[in-house]
Amino acid sequence: MDAHVAQLQMQYRNYILSLYQQGFLDDQFTELKSLQDDGTPDFVAEVLSLFFDDCVKLVGNMARALDQTGTVDFSQVGANVHQLKGSSSSVGAKRVKGLCINFKELCEAKNYEGCVRCLQQVDIEYKTLKAKLQDMFNLEKQIVQAGGIVPQVDIN
Amino acid sequence: MMEVCNCIEPQWPADELLMKYQYISDFFIAVAYFSIPLELIYFVKKSAVFPYRWVLVQFGAFIVLCGATHLINLWTFTTHSRTVALVMTTAKVLTAVVSCATALMLVHIIPDLLSVKTRELFLKNKAAELDREMGLIRTQEETGRHVRMLTHEIRSTLDRHTILKTTLVELGRTLALEECALWMPTRTGLELQLSYTLRQQHPVEYTVPIQLPVINQVFGTSRAVKISPNSPVARLRPVSGKYLLGEVVAVRVPLLHLSNFQINDWPELSTKRYALMVLMLPSDSARQWHVHELELVEVVADQVAVALSHAAILEESMRARDLLMEQNVALDIARREAETAIRARNDFLAVMNHEMRTPMHAIIALSSLLQETELTPEQRLMVETVLKSSSLLATLMNDVLDLSRLEDGSLQLELGTFNLHTLFREVLNLIKPIAVVKKLPITLNLAPDLPEFVVGDEKRLMQIILNIVGNAVKFSKQGSISVTALVTKSDNRAPPDFFVVPTGSHFYLRVKVKDLGAGINPQDIPKLFTKFAQTQSLATRSSGGSGLGLAISKRFVNLMEGNIWIESEGVGKGCTAIFDVKLGISNESKQSGIPKVPANPQHVNFAGLKVLVMDENGVSRMVTKGLLVHLGCEVTTVSSSEECLRVVSHEHRVVFMDVCTPGVENYQIALRIHEKFTKRHQRPLLVALTGNTDKSTKERCMSFGLDGVLLKPVSLDNMRNVLSDLLEHRVLYEAM
């Protein structure tokens, strides 16, 4: 039993580390995790689900804004990008945040093609992240079910 | 037609000789008459300046005609035709006309010509006069040149002797003098002594009294004065049969002193000392003193005066400089000796100190050990006495070494940051045992505005306080002792020669130790701080002590740029010792000794702190809320500025507002909150959460009245620090 837990924990640790190394997550995510304690056991999950809902909404808005044949309201797109950037930086979604920064520049440059392309990338990126984090949560659940505790992963 | 001429002349044969002569004369006259105009024309043509050409023409015509007349006359000696007679008549008539005209003309011309002559004479006179004046000017110019050269010679040297000698020589040469002499006043000022002469090589010491009338006359004016060759000052050479002594002139030479040259004040000729310069023209020369020569002499005299004063000044300054150099050398030697002495003493002290400490150490250590063993009561008493005496001796040695180092300035403060409050408590803890034994309650009052962490010499400050409080305890038999520490401001009482000026990062700590013990006679107060002096009136002679304590304390206090004094109303009325020292305020609030160990690390200070979070972005809002909840705050969240304004109340201590979204509306809310809460202590603190903390953002935040700025995303530590800083400042505000 312990060996299983240890193995799971090892798996979990490696997974987390890989997420950081691949640039999916950054220090802010660590902060987020540190805010979770016995008083708020599902804090991270709640925040993340809120984040992904936000993503869906914002990406939808942007797609609609960019879809307009004729004049494209870049300021509208920009505002949405700004929101997404804020959200992603709050949760530590590093790649998404990076894309948002590029996206913002493209919006300011009113580069239609670029914007469309960037939006697609954002779409892909957040979905990927969502999947990965889902896996992470599953691992956590497994560990807890196996009777172990989810280890704190020290990134440094 | 031949007419009979009415000429009287007979035929040629009668009076032939006469005829011949007449004939010849007429011819010559004619020739002469013809040549004169020719000559005239020739010479006039040669000369450029002849004004009367018309007259010349007239004259020429007149002469020519006369000549013609005479020429024609030649023909009339013989029988001649009528034509000739006609011609003759014409000529004669013409001649008459012209001659009359000329005669008339001459009446006008001749006065003119005469005046020309007078003008010429006048001009000649003028020329002669100018020549004379030229001569004069040239002489003057030469004189001037001589003066300049003389002055140059005189002023080119700063040696008094050379100056005077040169003067005489040059004057003698310029003016071609027979003798030139200089009389200087003697030291007494009552006589004039012949100091320099031109011709005679060292004359006999020859003096004349200064009060002679002729001398007074010369001294009374700055001009050169002609004096009699027979006056005593002028009789320099044996008068050896000179027929006529040359004229003598004397002039005064002011001898100026350094003190005459005031700034902006031309040397006043209220100087009393003059020298006399006597100049003699050569005898038998009938030369006279000209005005310009006298002027030259006066000018020279002045120049000599100036040159002499310069020489005098130079002498003075040379003398002063030599004196200074001597003094310098002496001082240098003295200083070196003093240094050697100090070094020797320090070495001695250090060595002796070390030498003394080693046995001391042994005594104290072994006595302590001995105390631990089994002893009889008498033995114990003895060992205790030994211990007490040896620790006293050790203290004494330390004091002496300290004091000597303090005195020659080689002691330096060891600055460091320390906790002032703790220091006072420690001192009290050290003194308490003794005070308790003597039944003297001690109280400590620390002013609320006393900084906790300060920069200074902890050890020495403790020494001072310990000394003062120790004295208070030592010399009190009953009563209480109070120790007060406060930050002193300039209006508090202080000794009149000491001004307290708090500077930026420093403050003055004032410590008052008041006791109700023996008190001190006010007359003895000044002696308190002198070394080794103890007032005999103190009953507790047995309390020991070397009397160095206060002296050392005073020196430490002085090193800390402070002052120490004692006030007492008299014997038996207790006394108060007060000292001020300058300490630095430490910037770091977390220092040394006692680390702050909060009971629950996450909830330090923030338990139940009501905060409001305003953020449009749901995710950010949630994260920020999570942060603050983690820190123990009670968090309310709003998602718009209107909602924020509705919800915010005086219960909320802090409002976090997101100002990321572009637009100024976010900042407006800060202003609206300011408006809502007019009383400062009711208003919640406003903190902006923003994506960039560059200067412009910070400035903007400040201008809208925000109390702080945080960079998103916020870390836990960051938030904790900011909150505690903010709340600290708020606390300080309330205290005011």
Side-chain angles (χ1 to χ4, degrees):
Chain A
M1 184 84 132
D2 283 330
H4 182 56
V5 168
Q7 192 204 19
L8 280 175
Q9 282 174 338
M10 176 70 76
Q11 212 178 348
Y12 177 77
R13 199 187 308 264
N14 290 339
Y15 193 63
I16 297 277
L17 280 174
S18 75
L19 283 179
Y20 277 96
Q21 277 160 2
Q22 285 166 25
F24 282 102
L25 300 171
D26 64 21
D27 292 332
Q28 181 59 20
F29 190 75
T30 326
E31 287 285 337
L32 213 66
K33 288 218 103 178
S34 69
L35 292 178
Q36 180 165 295
D37 56 19
D38 298 325
T40 53
D42 297 319
F43 181 66
V44 180
E46 278 171 18
V47 174
L48 285 173
S49 72
L50 195 60
F51 170 66
F52 288 121
D53 289 339
D54 222 18
C55 277
V56 170
K57 188 182 76 180
L58 289 171
V59 169
N61 284 350
M62 283 193 274
R64 263 194 302 282
L66 285 171
D67 212 15
Q68 310 261 348
T69 46
T71 47
V72 173
D73 189 357
F74 280 105
S75 59
Q76 167 88 317
V77 180
N80 283 307
V81 170
H82 187 80
Q83 287 278 8
L84 188 59
K85 180 167 147 232
S87 306
S88 56
S89 63
S90 295
V91 297
K94 192 168 171 181
R95 281 201 190 175
V96 179
K97 186 179 84 175
L99 280 174
C100 285
I101 294 173
N102 289 347
F103 203 154
K104 195 150 183 208
E105 280 173 22
L106 291 167
C107 276
E108 276 165 27
K110 298 204 203 282
N111 183 343
Y112 183 76
E113 297 291 335
C115 282
V116 169
R117 242 196 333 268
C118 207
L119 185 63
Q120 284 169 352
Q121 281 176 314
V122 167
D123 196 50
I124 295 169
E125 204 50 58
Y126 92 79
K127 284 175 177 153
T128 316
L129 183 64
K130 185 167 177 181
K132 292 228 181 247
L133 289 175
Q134 195 63 51
D135 289 340
M136 186 190 81
F137 281 123
N138 289 340
L139 265 176
E140 283 184 4
K141 237 188 287 194
Q142 279 177 11
I143 294 174
V144 168
Q145 274 172 359
I149 45 164
V150 180
Q152 298 273 48
V153 184
D154 187 7
I155 309 303
N156 306 326
Chain B
M1 185 74 57
M2 185 107 125
E3 280 195 0
V4 177
C5 64
N6 45 358
C7 51
I8 341 165
E9 277 81 8
Q11 274 77 17
W12 186 250
D15 284 55
E16 233 175 80
L17 206 62
L18 280 170
M19 282 298 154
K20 238 190 232 163
Y21 279 129
Q22 276 195 352
Y23 193 82
I24 295 173
S25 318
D26 264 333
F27 178 70
F28 275 116
I29 290 173
V31 166
Y33 272 28
F34 279 133
S35 57
I36 287 178
L38 285 172
E39 285 171 22
L40 271 175
I41 291 173
Y42 175 70
F43 283 115
V44 164
K45 269 225 159 49
K46 269 251 171 149
S47 98
V49 284
F50 195 80
Y52 298 113
R53 295 205 179 214
W54 176 241
V55 171
L56 211 63
V57 168
Q58 252 183 331
F59 208 63
F62 165 59
I63 297 252
V64 162
L65 282 172
C66 275
T69 316
H70 281 280
L71 191 69
I72 297 173
N73 233 6
L74 289 176
W75 273 268
T76 58
F77 285 115
T78 53
T79 43
H80 49 272
S81 61
R82 187 186 162 81
T83 324
V84 174
L86 200 63
V87 169
M88 183 76 201
T89 320
T90 323
K92 277 219 169 112
V93 167
L94 274 174
T95 314
V97 168
V98 172
S99 4
C100 288
T102 314
L104 283 169
M105 186 85 17
L106 278 177
V107 170
H108 296 288
I109 300 291
I110 291 191
D112 263 348
L113 284 175
L114 280 178
S115 76
V116 164
K117 230 10 193 174
T118 43
R119 240 180 287 159
E120 187 192 319
L121 207 64
F122 175 70
L123 280 169
K124 243 197 258 174
N125 284 344
K126 259 285 183 234
E129 205 175 293
L130 278 168
D131 264 333
R132 269 199 305 275
E133 275 186 20
M134 262 285 281
L136 227 84
I137 289 176
R138 217 175 287 139
T139 336
Q140 276 182 347
E141 205 250 304
E142 237 177 76
T143 316
R145 217 161 359 103
H146 276 134
V147 171
R148 273 197 294 281
M149 181 198 50
L150 244 164
T151 312
H152 177 76
E153 289 292 323
I154 292 171
R155 300 283 290 271
S156 67
T157 168
L158 284 171
D159 174 38
R160 168 185 276 255
H161 182 79
T162 322
I163 289 174
L164 294 168
K165 255 295 182 210
T166 317
T167 314
L168 297 181
V169 164
E170 293 298 326
L171 266 179
R173 215 183 29 220
T174 312
L175 299 171
L177 300 170
E178 176 177 354
E179 182 59 271
C180 193
L182 191 72
W183 300 78
M184 301 282 281
T186 55
R187 292 231 160 261
T188 58
L190 295 173
E191 293 182 321
L192 282 181
Q193 190 180 27
L194 182 65
S195 316
Y196 301 94
T197 54
L198 183 58
R199 308 275 175 217
Q200 288 173 316
Q201 295 313 310
H202 227 54
V204 174
E205 298 291 302
Y206 190 26
T207 60
V208 294
I210 209 169
Q211 289 302 330
L212 289 178
V214 61
I215 298 179
N216 284 338
Q217 184 196 7
V218 178
F219 280 179
T221 168
S222 63
R223 324 263 347 234
V225 175
K226 289 206 190 110
I227 61 175
S228 155
N230 291 322
S231 58
V233 290
R235 248 186 296 146
L236 299 168
R237 305 176 112 201
V239 180
S240 45
K242 305 271 178 170
Y243 182 61
L244 185 65
L245 293 170
E247 288 197 346
V248 181
V249 143
V251 68
R252 71 175 187 189
V253 180
L255 295 173
L256 301 166
H257 292 285
L258 190 59
S259 56
N260 290 119
F261 291 100
Q262 315 290 330
I263 312 231
N264 297 333
D265 207 15
W266 192 249
E268 290 281 306
L269 291 181
S270 56
T271 171
K272 303 232 179 67
R273 287 166 52 106
Y274 295 108
L276 188 75
M277 197 154 59
V278 176
L279 306 140
M280 284 185 271
L281 287 178
S283 328
D284 300 335
S285 71
R287 248 182 74 188
Q288 296 229 316
W289 282 100
H290 298 287
V291 170
H292 72 269
E293 288 172 341
L294 292 179
E295 282 173 4
L296 181 113
V297 168
E298 284 157 23
V299 166
V300 170
D302 274 332
Q303 291 298 319
V304 169
V306 171
L308 282 178
S309 58
H310 283 186
I313 292 174
L314 183 72
E315 265 176 49
E316 277 288 323
S317 66
M318 299 284 270
R319 236 199 331 263
R321 192 194 59 169
D322 287 336
L323 195 66
L324 272 171
M325 278 206 318
E326 272 175 39
Q327 283 180 342
N328 260 2
V329 169
L331 275 170
D332 209 32
I333 295 177
R335 183 177 58 93
R336 254 181 298 193
E337 282 175 6
E339 274 178 10
T340 325
I342 288 180
R343 241 173 305 150
R345 185 203 63 181
N346 282 350
D347 288 341
F348 167 76
L349 274 176
V351 163
M352 280 315 290
N353 202 23
H354 177 74
E355 296 303 317
M356 286 197 285
R357 272 196 225 271
T358 320
M360 216 56 251
H361 187 72
I363 296 172
I364 294 179
L366 292 173
S367 314
S368 328
L369 281 175
L370 200 56
Q371 258 188 338
E372 305 291 314
T373 64
E374 286 275 337
L375 295 170
T376 67
E378 299 98 21
Q379 284 174 325
R380 191 162 286 276
L381 205 62
M382 283 190 255
V383 171
E384 273 175 15
T385 317
V386 168
L387 251 181
K388 245 201 293 191
S389 314
S390 39
S391 26
L392 215 65
L393 193 59
T395 320
L396 181 65
M397 286 193 316
N398 284 342
D399 279 355
V400 167
L401 194 64
D402 260 350
L403 193 62
S404 57
R405 271 198 298 154
L406 273 170
E407 283 195 323
D408 56 44
S410 55
L411 188 88
Q412 280 176 332
L413 294 175
E414 291 155 25
L415 299 174
T417 316
F418 60 94
N419 189 329
L420 196 61
H421 296 226
T422 320
L423 186 98
F424 278 106
R425 276 191 275 272
E426 266 179 51
V427 169
L428 240 65
N429 287 341
L430 283 170
I431 290 289
K432 254 203 175 54
I434 311 174
V436 161
V437 163
K438 288 183 92 170
K439 299 207 184 15
L440 299 165
I442 303 189
T443 49
L444 172 66
N445 300 319
L446 298 177
D449 59 347
L450 199 68
E452 195 172 341
F453 290 99
V454 299
V455 179
D457 191 333
E458 187 181 1
K459 196 171 78 157
R460 270 49 182 267
L461 185 61
M462 186 185 278
Q463 216 174 327
I464 299 170
I465 305 175
L466 209 55
N467 179 257
I468 307 260
V469 178
N471 279 349
V473 169
K474 232 194 297 183
F475 295 117
S476 297
K477 286 226 192 94
Q478 84 281 351
S480 69
I481 299 174
S482 77
V483 180
T484 319
L486 44 99
V487 175
T488 186
K489 306 201 183 25
S490 50
D491 48 86
N492 281 7
R493 282 179 307 142
D497 56 348
F498 185 61
F499 291 101
V500 171
V501 179
T503 52
S505 60
H506 294 89
F507 73 101
Y508 280 85
L509 167 72
R510 175 167 290 190
V511 177
K512 284 201 244 207
V513 178
K514 191 171 165 61
D515 72 68
L516 296 167
I520 302 171
N521 196 334
Q523 287 165 337
D524 289 335
I525 291 185
K527 280 193 277 187
L528 283 171
F529 293 102
T530 50
K531 300 188 289 187
F532 309 122
Q534 273 209 0
T535 49
Q536 296 295 334
S537 60
L538 295 171
T540 47
R541 279 301 270 130
S542 60
S543 59
S546 58
L548 278 179
L550 274 179
I552 294 184
S553 299
K554 182 174 162 89
R555 289 210 168 50
F556 280 141
V557 166
N558 285 343
L559 264 181
M560 295 187 196
E561 297 179 50
N563 207 359
I564 178 171
W565 68 101
I566 292 192
E567 294 165 4
S568 174
E569 316 240 330
V571 178
K573 302 211 180 91
C575 78
T576 312
I578 311 175
F579 70 87
D580 294 332
V581 286
K582 187 179 183 188
L583 294 171
I585 301 177
S586 170
N587 292 328
E588 305 155 52
S589 49
K590 298 176 181 24
Q591 269 304 312
S592 77
I594 312 155
K596 270 203 225 159
V597 185
N600 190 345
Q602 290 120 320
H603 297 283
V604 60
N605 297 352
F606 307 139
L609 186 73
K610 282 198 164 197
V611 297
L612 183 66
V613 174
M614 185 212 89
D615 196 332
E616 286 180 4
N617 187 315
V619 177
S620 303
R621 204 166 52 230
M622 194 157 174
V623 174
T624 314
K625 177 174 173 175
L627 252 177
L628 290 163
V629 164
H630 195 76
L631 288 173
C633 306
E634 210 182 289
V635 186
T636 321
T637 56
V638 291
S639 57
S640 71
S641 30
E642 292 86 21
E643 210 184 327
C644 178
L645 278 172
R646 260 206 319 276
V647 173
V648 74
S649 73
H650 64 270
E651 285 178 349
H652 295 111
R653 296 290 297 281
V654 191
V655 174
F656 290 93
M657 57 182 75
D658 171 76
V659 295
C660 271
T661 43
V664 193
E665 307 83 47
N666 306 308
Y667 295 100
Q668 293 292 346
I669 181 176
L671 294 176
R672 306 269 284 284
I673 292 184
H674 271 273
E675 283 168 27
K676 191 166 173 181
F677 298 93
T678 45
K679 286 220 186 75
R680 205 185 194 165
H681 63 267
Q682 281 180 355
R683 173 175 72 77
L685 292 164
L686 302 170
V687 180
L689 298 167
T690 167
N692 61 330
T693 50
D694 61 9
K695 200 164 172 215
S696 60
T697 318
K698 279 195 183 142
E699 277 171 2
R700 199 193 257 169
C701 290
M702 290 304 137
S703 68
F704 278 97
L706 285 145
D707 300 293
V709 179
L710 268 178
L711 179 65
K712 270 167 62 164
V714 191
S715 72
L716 190 63
D717 286 326
N718 232 354
M719 183 63 90
R720 192 189 288 127
N721 290 343
V722 166
L723 266 182
S724 54
D725 275 345
L726 265 178
L727 293 173
E728 218 181 280
H729 285 297
R730 176 51 79 85
V731 166
L732 275 178
Y733 279 19
E734 279 176 4
M736 280 176 12

